[in-house]
């Protein structure tokens, strides 16, 4: 259970959350023009007449963005609408030279769907998706470049956005954080959005209300443009408490747009919320309705990659992983792919262990990411292969791994160079055992007198004498015989 009730003076309150996520479509060019949609150019370098809202300009839909929206819809198990309509959402803002944003309203390209979120306690919950629609991004006002003037950068104007609207199904900050995290993972698997929240390619509007459990939905406030998972969590915690205090103090929640102040961790009022009719939506006469063939949708569906939930099930079912390990592995696309490459022909659990403990630990210590790993997936698989076929023991493997991490060499090369092959020759092991027993006649007598615990001592001595290279199974077997 992750329902987090708030204790107020008048009893317990339930938090209700719905999220609108703006995800920038991965695309070379903008939604209705050929200008570049790539992040990071100098101001106003990527602007066409369409993006600058010149009179008489004509928008032309970018087919790739349509594919990306459909792909995302399919990845969210959502209904794809073969008929959708672009409308003008009219408002004035200096960074919006057209005086309206081309968006979708009554007929979005994607309808209802769902996402399964993974909660901190290991449980899952299904969150409904209301819709996904395509729309243009606005430009950006720059207020910090000149003491008296503001500037506008239109590079972002016309960038392709997918707005993904959830149902008000979340009941805690944890659930909302899990939703954003999972949505980002799915978008990255699909390759439809890079999910980089710090570059603004994924931004959240967080709708929060509170109510007494069982009551009707309360009035919501919308916190705009929250740009990290941690801030989503903080903003909800703060906003829900604020609303409870207002209501319990005899006040009323006004539907409004609020801003999250990342420094203080609080929200403050920005403006009262417009209703949809304030925007005077109407179908954009410059654009025909968007009509898709079912075969177009089917072709995208046939090429969807395996998504994290399916991958997790397969890792558990086919490779014997624990739900926890499988969950950690699929949480990042690169991690999952690394694992899959390493595990080819190897023991699933052993590879997962080596990846999640040894490699993970070494990377953290070296402050490196998986993509910078000096040990490749193939090399990690090679090391595990040597353990599985008894060429080296798990103990020696740790030393080999450290050497691999330091030098980038293959495990087999290191084992050869350093003569670390496990000794499975019974004659050689027998010789070591005889030496150990001869050197410890008193302990042998004690053991024979009933002190069973000493068996471990003998094993330890034999392993030590063999430099850790004796096969532990054979050592055990031979020792039992000899004693
Ligand atoms: P708008 O654009 O006016 O914000 P949308 O329909 O695009 O409206 O989005 C509304 C969002 O608010 C959805 O994510 C929805 O789940 C959420 N929501 C609606 N009612 C409530 C409520 N009472 N409490 C919290 N969230 C709500
Ligand atoms: Mg909204």
């Amino acid at each position: 259970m992750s329902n987090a009730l708030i204790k107020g003076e008048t009893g317990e309150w339930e938090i209700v959350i719905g999220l609108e996520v703006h995800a920038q479509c991965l695309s070379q060019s903008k939604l209705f023009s050929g200008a570049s949609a790539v992040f990071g150019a100098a101001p106003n370098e990527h602007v066409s007449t369409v993006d600058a809202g010149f009179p008489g300009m004509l928008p032309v839909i970018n087919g790739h963005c349509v594919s990306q929206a459909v792909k995302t819809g399919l990845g969210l198990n959502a209904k794809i609408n073969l008929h959708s309509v672009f409308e003008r959402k009219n408002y004035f803002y200096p960074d919006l030279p057209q005086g309206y944003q081309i968006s979708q309203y009554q007929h979005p390209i994607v309808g209802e769907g769902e996402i399964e979120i993974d909660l901190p306690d290991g449980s899952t919950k299904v969150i409904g998706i209301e819709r996904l629609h395509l729309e243009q991004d606005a430009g950006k006002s720059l207020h910090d470049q000149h003491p008296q003037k503001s500037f506008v950068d239109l590079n972002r104007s016309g960038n392709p956005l997918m707005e993904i609207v959830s149902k008000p199904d979340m009941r805690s900050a944890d659930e909302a954080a899990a939703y954003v995290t999972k949505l980002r993972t799915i978008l990255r698997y699909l390759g439809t959005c890079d999910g980089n929240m710090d570059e603004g390619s994924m931004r959240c509007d967080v709708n929060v209300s509170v109510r007494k459990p069982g009551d009707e939905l309360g009035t919501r406030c919308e916190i705009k443009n929250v740009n990290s998972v941690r801030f989503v969590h903080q903003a909800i915690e703060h906003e829900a408490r604020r609303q409870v205090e207002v209501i319990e103090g005899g006040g009323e929640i006004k539907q409004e747009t609020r801003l999250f102040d990342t420094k203080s961790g609080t929200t403050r009022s920005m403006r009262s919320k417009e209703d949809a009719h304030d925007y005077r939506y109407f179908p954009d006469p410059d654009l025909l309705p968007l009509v898709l063939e079912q075969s177009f949708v089917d072709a995208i569906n046939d090429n969807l990659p395996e998504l994290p939930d399916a991958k997790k099930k397969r890792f558990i079912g086919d490779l014997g992983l624990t739900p926890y390990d499988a969950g950690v592995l699929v949480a990042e696309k690169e991690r999952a792919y690394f694992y899959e490459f390493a595990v080819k022909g190897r023991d699933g659990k052993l590879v997962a262990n080596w990846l999640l403990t040894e490699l993970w630990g070494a990377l953290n210590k070296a402050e490196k990411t998986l993509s910078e790993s000096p040990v490749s997936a193939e090399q990690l698989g090679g090391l595990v292969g040597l353990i599985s076929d008894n060429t080296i023991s798990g103990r020696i493997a740790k030393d080999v791994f450290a050497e691999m991490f330091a030098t980038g060499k293959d495990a087999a090369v290191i084992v050869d160079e350093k003569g670390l092959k496990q000794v499975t020759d019974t004659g050689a092991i027998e010789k070591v055992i005889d030496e150990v027993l001869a050197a410890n006649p008193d302990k042998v007598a004690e053991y024979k007198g009933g002190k069973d615990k000493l068996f471990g001592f003998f094993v330890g001595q034999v392993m030590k004498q063999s430099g850790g290279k004796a096969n532990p199974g054979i050592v055990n077997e031979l020792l039992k015989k000899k004693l």
Side-chain angles (χ1 to χ4, degrees), residues 65-278:
C65 296
V66 174
S67 302
Q68 293 287 61
V70 169
K71 196 173 184 186
T72 305
L74 292 169
L76 301 176
N77 295 308
K79 178 168 184 295
I80 307 301
N81 295 322
L82 297 180
H83 182 274
S84 66
V85 176
F86 286 104
E87 304 204 33
R88 291 186 180 179
K89 180 179 183 179
N90 298 280
Y91 63 99
F92 171 80
Y93 211 74
D95 62 17
L96 187 77
Q98 284 170 167
Y100 58 86
Q101 179 188 24
I102 306 178
S103 181
Q104 295 188 307
Y105 180 52
Q106 281 181 335
H107 304 282
I109 185 165
V110 176
E112 292 186 328
E114 58 186 39
I115 293 187
E116 190 175 286
I117 61 169
D118 308 286
L119 296 165
D121 66 359
S123 64
T124 59
K125 176 175 173 178
V126 174
I127 305 296
I129 301 287
E130 181 71 43
R131 57 193 268 143
L132 175 158
H133 64 252
L134 278 167
E135 65 182 27
Q136 312 171 290
D137 207 345
K140 204 161 105 185
S141 298
L142 306 171
H143 302 296
D144 54 2
Q145 310 282 310
H146 190 279
Q148 280 94 34
K149 294 177 180 160
S150 282
F151 295 104
V152 67
D153 174 8
L154 295 179
N155 281 345
R156 213 174 61 183
S157 168
N159 270 355
L161 298 181
M162 301 180 284
E163 177 167 341
I164 303 163
V165 182
S166 86
K167 304 209 172 193
D169 285 352
M170 287 158 271
R171 295 291 176 269
S172 68
D174 277 353
E175 289 187 1
Y179 172 87
V180 177
T181 305
K182 187 62 170 279
L183 177 59
R184 184 176 55 187
T185 303
I186 292 172
L187 294 172
R188 285 177 170 166
Y189 268 73
L190 290 168
T192 55
C193 170
D194 66 26
N196 294 338
M197 296 182 84
D198 48 355
E199 288 178 1
S201 12
M202 207 178 128
R203 322 190 280 269
C204 301
D205 297 346
V206 184
N207 294 272
V208 180
S209 65
V210 297
R211 65 174 174 187
K212 287 286 171 69
D215 280 3
E216 302 272 283
L217 288 182
T219 301
R220 67 182 157 118
C221 289
E222 178 178 8
I223 310 156
K224 277 279 180 202
N225 282 333
V226 186
N227 67 357
S228 83
V229 176
R230 190 162 58 92
F231 292 153
V232 167
H233 199 279
Q234 281 179 12
I236 292 168
E237 296 263 298
H238 173 269
E239 176 60 17
R241 286 212 160 76
R242 185 192 71 85
Q243 291 184 12
V244 168
E245 274 168 32
V246 169
I247 301 170
E248 291 194 333
E252 209 175 287
I253 300 299
K254 289 188 302 276
Q255 183 166 330
E256 62 180 357
T257 302
R258 299 179 69 84
L259 278 182
F260 179 64
D261 180 342
T262 55
K263 289 205 182 72
S264 64
T266 61
T267 66
R268 66 187 145 81
S269 183
M270 181 161 99
R271 52 178 143 92
S272 69
K273 171 88 188 161
E274 309 79 1
D275 279 317
H277 63 250
D278 295 328

Side-chain angles (χ1 to χ4, degrees), residues 432-448:
V432 179
I433 291 180
D434 288 342
E435 282 166 20
V436 167
L437 297 187
N440 297 284
D442 44 341
K443 294 249 167 43
V444 173
E446 278 179 59
Y447 180 81
K448 289 191 168 153

Side-chain angles (χ1 to χ4, degrees), residues 213-444:
D215 280 3
E216 302 272 283
L217 288 182
T219 301
R220 67 182 157 118
C221 289
E222 178 178 8
I223 310 156
K224 277 279 180 202
N225 282 333
V226 186
N227 67 357
S228 83
V229 176
R230 190 162 58 92
F231 292 153
V232 167
H233 199 279
Q234 281 179 12
I236 292 168
E237 296 263 298
H238 173 269
E239 176 60 17
R241 286 212 160 76
R242 185 192 71 85
Q243 291 184 12
V244 168
E245 274 168 32
V246 169
I247 301 170
E248 291 194 333
E252 209 175 287
I253 300 299
K254 289 188 302 276
Q255 183 166 330
E256 62 180 357
T257 302
R258 299 179 69 84
L259 278 182
F260 179 64
D261 180 342
T262 55
K263 289 205 182 72
S264 64
T266 61
T267 66
R268 66 187 145 81
S269 183
M270 181 161 99
R271 52 178 143 92
S272 69
K273 171 88 188 161
E274 309 79 1
D275 279 317
H277 63 250
D278 295 328
Y279 288 116
R280 303 291 189 275
Y281 278 100
F282 65 90
D284 192 317
D286 289 340
L287 290 155
L288 289 168
L290 183 60
V291 179
L292 309 177
E293 301 280 347
Q294 185 58 45
S295 59
F296 169 81
V297 177
D298 293 343
I300 294 174
N301 198 31
D302 291 342
N303 287 304
L304 280 191
E306 184 181 41
L307 291 175
D309 291 339
K311 218 182 257 305
K312 183 175 172 186
K313 283 202 186 86
R314 190 164 58 76
F315 284 180
I316 296 170
D318 296 358
L319 298 172
L321 299 195
T322 61
Y324 179 81
D325 283 355
V328 174
L329 287 174
V330 304
E332 299 278 355
K333 181 174 147 189
E334 282 69 32
R335 204 181 294 160
Y337 285 19
F338 190 101
Y339 174 72
E340 287 195 284
F341 208 72
V343 85
K344 275 198 190 109
R346 319 277 184 211
D347 180 85
K349 268 186 162 162
L350 207 51
V351 174
N353 274 341
W354 276 86
L355 173 52
L356 294 176
T357 54
E358 298 301 322
L359 181 58
W360 199 266
L363 288 171
N364 276 341
K365 216 163 148 195
E367 294 180 4
K368 285 192 155 95
T369 64
L370 194 55
S371 58
E372 301 161 342
S373 171
V375 177
S376 69
E378 203 176 10
Q379 288 178 313
L380 190 73
L383 175 67
V384 170
L386 294 181
I387 304 170
S388 295
D389 69 11
N390 281 323
T391 304
I392 54 173
S393 66
R395 169 69 208 81
I396 293 281
K398 296 210 175 182
D399 298 339
V400 174
F401 175 79
E403 186 77 14
M404 292 169 77
F405 197 85
T407 63
K409 285 186 192 167
D410 283 353
V413 171
I414 295 168
V415 169
D416 259 358
E417 277 176 3
K418 304 211 157 181
L420 297 173
K421 258 205 177 88
Q422 184 158 247
V423 180
T424 50
D425 168 4
T426 48
I429 296 177
E430 220 166 328
K431 202 169 144 246
V432 179
I433 291 180
D434 288 342
E435 282 166 20
V436 167
L437 297 187
N440 297 284
D442 44 341
K443 294 249 167 43
V444 173

